[in-house]
Amino acid sequence: MSLRLTVLALILFSSVVLAAEPKPPPFITPYPGQKLYGDAFQVTDFDEHHFIVAKTTGQPPPGQEFKRVEGKITQFVYEHPSGRSSLEVFKNYEEGLKKAGFETVYTCAGKACGSTVAPFPGWLPQLKQWVPDEKNRYLLAKLTRPTEGNIWVGFYINLVGLEVNGINIVEERPMQTGMVAVDAAALKKGLEDHGYIAVYGIVFDTGKATLKAESAKALEQVKKLLEESPALKLYVVGHTDDVGSESANVALSNARASAVVKELVGRYQVKKDRLKAAGVGPYVPVATNRNEQGRAKNRRVVLVEDVP
């Protein structure tokens, strides 16, 4: 097996959903002569992707050079069509996306793209390296859809090493929540068994301490827990992932914990002396911060029994 096929085999045995007969979305028409590079197609129902929006100096995240977008991710890797220049293929994609209503957010070529690029996020590290060759090109385009969610398309041409054309598509959408039921009995058992319990049903706007409406079900169960256990007192502890500065995350975790206490006292009529808010930022992770799945687990509110 050749080196390129070996690399591709390793890529495709990742924890993504593979489709047997991939079809591009209606706004993407493959360039004549483009063929799928082996089985290099994947769909992930919900994850994050970092699109380049300026000259790159390092791998994401974080950094102002990248736009982080969450949603359904579709990725294609095509063989570069024989006998066609990178400029010709690039301009055809750019024109086709414009006709479909997309606006161009950013383009670059060769050295203007910087030292690194991430066309294969989450895949093999060696495939993240951008070779500053003048034939290599990159395009980011966006279709604005206020009600359905925006669509982002990142298109790149790499003619050094792997001669491929890649397409990364993100359809913005919120993560499906409510997958784990929270009830007062489960909260009580967790506190009795461990002295603490994480409540993932309490969620906030990104980067803010504003409680989302879907937090109401979990907060109602916390109220019920306290009603059924009149002597119980709790620390409400906020946790974050490690994206951003430590000080900002600690401040955010404190603000989120305080928001939960304020909501329980104000809306749910819990006595203030039964709750204490605290935040520990990114210091007590329960999963890796190297991917979104892990970071989502680390962003949580934990109830800790306040033992007299």
Side-chain angles (χ1 to χ4, degrees), residues 109-162:
K111 293 181 180 180
C113 293
S115 59
T116 59
V117 72
F120 302 95
W123 294 3
L124 297 183
Q126 59 265 40
L127 294 182
K128 291 184 178 181
Q129 298 306 310
W130 177 268
V131 180
D133 185 270
E134 63 180 7
K135 296 179 181 179
N136 292 348
R137 301 177 184 277
Y138 175 82
L139 162 71
L140 174 61
K142 175 186 176 183
L143 178 64
T144 301
R145 302 192 305 174
T147 57
E148 301 170 271
N150 301 326
I151 299 177
W152 298 78
V153 175
F155 173 69
Y156 63 90
I157 296 176
N158 183 11
L159 298 184
V160 179
L162 298 178

Side-chain angles (χ1 to χ4, degrees), residues 211-285:
L211 281 161
K212 289 189 174 183
E214 55 261 41
S215 300
K217 291 182 180 180
L219 292 170
E220 186 67 41
Q221 293 304 309
V222 176
K223 173 190 176 183
K224 184 178 179 181
L225 165 70
L226 290 164
E227 286 178 341
E228 294 175 353
S229 306
L232 178 64
K233 293 185 178 183
L234 297 171
Y235 293 107
V236 178
V237 185
H239 295 256
T240 68
D241 57 31
D242 72 345
V243 176
S245 71
E246 294 178 24
S247 59
N249 279 322
V250 171
L252 178 61
S253 65
N254 272 294
R256 286 179 169 179
S258 296
V260 173
V261 170
K262 182 178 179 180
E263 186 76 356
L264 287 169
V265 171
R267 184 181 297 272
Y268 295 94
Q269 301 300 301
V270 175
K271 290 185 178 180
K272 190 175 182 179
D273 63 359
R274 300 185 67 186
L275 302 169
K276 295 178 183 178
V280 294
Y283 297 129
V284 192

